[in-house]
Amino acid sequence: MNGTPNTLQVVDVVKTFDQPGGGRLKVLDVPQFEIAAGEQVALIGESGGGKTTLLHLIAGLLTPDRGSIRLAGTELTSLSEQGRDRFRASTIGYVFQTFNLLPAFTAVENVRLGMTFGHGHHGSSRAFELLDRVGLADRAHYRPSQLSVGQQQRVAIARALAGKPKLLLADEPTANVDPVSAESVLDLIQQSCVDEHLAMLMVTHSMDVAKRFERVDSLEQINHAFAPTPS
Amino acid sequence: MSLIQIAWRNFCHRSLSSFLTTLSLALGVGLVVLVLSVFGIVTEAFSRNASVGYNLVVGPKGSALQLTLNSVYYLSQPIENLPFTEYMEFFDAADRAEMVRKYGGDPALGERDGEYAAFIAGGYAIPLALGDYVGEFRAVGTTPDFFENLRHGPNVDEKFRFKEGRAFKGYSDENSYFEAVLGSRVASEMDVHVGQMFYPTHGDPEGQGHGQGFAVVGILEPTGTPNDRAAFVNLEGFYLLENHSKPLTGDETIVENDDWKSRDPDHKPLTIPEREVTSILIRNGNLMFAPGMQNKINEGLQSQAAAPVGEIAKLMTAIVGPLLKALLAITLITCVVAAVGVLVAIYNSMNDRRRDIAVMRALGARRETVTTIILAESLIIALIGGLCGWFLAHFAILAASGYIEEQTGVQVTLFTTSSYELAILPLVIALALLAGFLPAWSAYRTDVGSNLAA
């Protein structure tokens, strides 16, 4: 398979974890999975199916036991932990299910944190610009505790976009927001990816969310870890 | 955002915990600085008091430290007395002959130079007679030369100044031989003013009062020396107090004149054989002669010569220094305890912050970066706590500066620092960084995956 810039390629990736009783549990076995530049993919699957583990592997927070993960032309498995940290800061945006805004920081500071650890220092103006784009320019100096759940997720989206990533990873970003807010959050994420020309992988267990995407993959299809062994 | 900004935000976010941790460190540092300052003030006060213009104290054989304590600090009891002739050994033949003529004695005394006269050429010898009290303060019999020749102050170049009145005279028409000058504390604590009389008591503060009183003719301005705590009386008047004359054996040769009758017919100055001195303050005209003279005096059978600065240095080294160092060690332990408080406070907060650390790691922060942020928090606590503690201690010292100056003569300002204090802030920072190491290590090891999912 030819590597193309801005394309994610996951090939023959296996991830196992230690089991409390001894031995190792295989939670992920992905022969092939890829996302083209600018493509938006929804990955559906049940809880405990390995969705978050796959996101962590792609983000470089975990390393696979074997296999290749290639993102934007860079082989993640060949990088050191520090290299993966640097790469993540400049290439990947991450939106969490629980938003994970830092309570000590204001909205604009949370967004600025998204660019603190990367190479490029885009400054406050981009942080304000992103908050404006998510409709929270007037809440820039509010702390997370002063924002509604939907507003917090908007700040989290702005933060994920702050470092000008090439891939946005979203882990059930609407699981904790009300249906009305969920719609607007999804609109925002998808439109932002179009505007910023970045690919997106969103994991969800909601078919309502998945149906908004042109491409929907099932974790059961791509992950063979739990597939019955042929007798 | 810089890492320091991030650390500062975290510091502010847990405001109560941060405040209490910083306060405990500030109090620890303040205590250390206070002890160091007291150490500095005590050291300076001792060395300053030991150098008030003279370089040697001569007294009877015995403890050199005791001689210094009772002659310089007016503490402890006098060892014994020296015959007046020992004092005369510091004068040349002409001066000695004049003394014989004025007081009465053996004319042979005036026929030779004193044994030590050549050593102090250009300097002075001032007699002290101790043993009486004014209230709780020492009465010091001396001559007007005391106020004329002695100096004090940081550079030992300030003459005595009078808040009221003047120095006493060897003899005055209005008060005869019975004039006195009070040190500033004596005057203020006993509420005595120029023109009033006081009556010394013999031997100790509760001792029997002498019938003869002294007229206060002057009150000294504060000098920050033990002289503030003394009542100076004219030596001639001191001699004339009851039981202050040395009994004669009858073997003495005394040639007297009748000059005294024309001055004060009621009071005849003691003759030389009746006179004694407790100690003699010596200033060599040329300090190079001091060691030779000191050796010569010490080789004699009657007297000893002690260098007050040296004796006080020995006292500091032997007793005061170790005590203060022990106190310093205790306060340093307090500082370490405060640093442990920093450790506990930050470490306890780590449980609440693992998700924050995991989020920062997910945003691209390296393990070393989150470690640095935690250490920076320790640094912030150390800097604020250290500076607050320093200012706290120095404001306390500044508030007490008037009292300190009155008691010791040492002038302190907000920024009077000892050289030891320069090591405090680096020490506190090092301690705090050490204290921050454990939580920082915890941050370093934070598992991102499990904490993001938590």
Side-chain angles (χ1 to χ4, degrees), chain A residues 143-214:
Chain A
R143 289 185 190 282
S145 59
Q146 297 169 304
L147 298 172
S148 70
V149 169
Q151 287 170 333
Q152 286 182 47
Q153 190 60 299
R154 286 167 177 270
V155 175
I157 293 165
R159 182 178 66 184
L161 299 173
K164 295 196 170 175
K166 295 182 172 56
L167 174 68
L168 185 73
L169 300 175
D171 188 358
E172 309 245 25
T174 57
N176 288 338
V177 296
D178 63 81
V180 177
S181 297
E183 282 299 310
S184 75
V185 164
L186 290 169
D187 286 344
L188 183 63
I189 292 177
Q190 290 190 294
Q191 188 55 47
S192 297
C193 287
V194 172
D195 295 343
E196 299 271 330
H197 308 292
L198 62 143
M200 173 173 59
L201 173 62
M202 180 182 291
V203 298
T204 180
H205 62 268
S206 164
M207 285 308 296
D208 286 340
V209 172
K211 70 186 179 190
R212 297 173 59 106
F213 288 76
E214 286 184 9

Side-chain angles (χ1 to χ4, degrees), chain A residues 98-103 110 144 147 151-153 155-156 159, chain B residues 356:
Chain A
T98 48
F99 327 140
N100 286 335
L101 297 182
L102 301 192
N110 264 287
L147 298 172
Q151 287 170 333
Q152 286 182 47
Q153 190 60 299
V155 175
R159 182 178 66 184
Chain B
D356 293 357

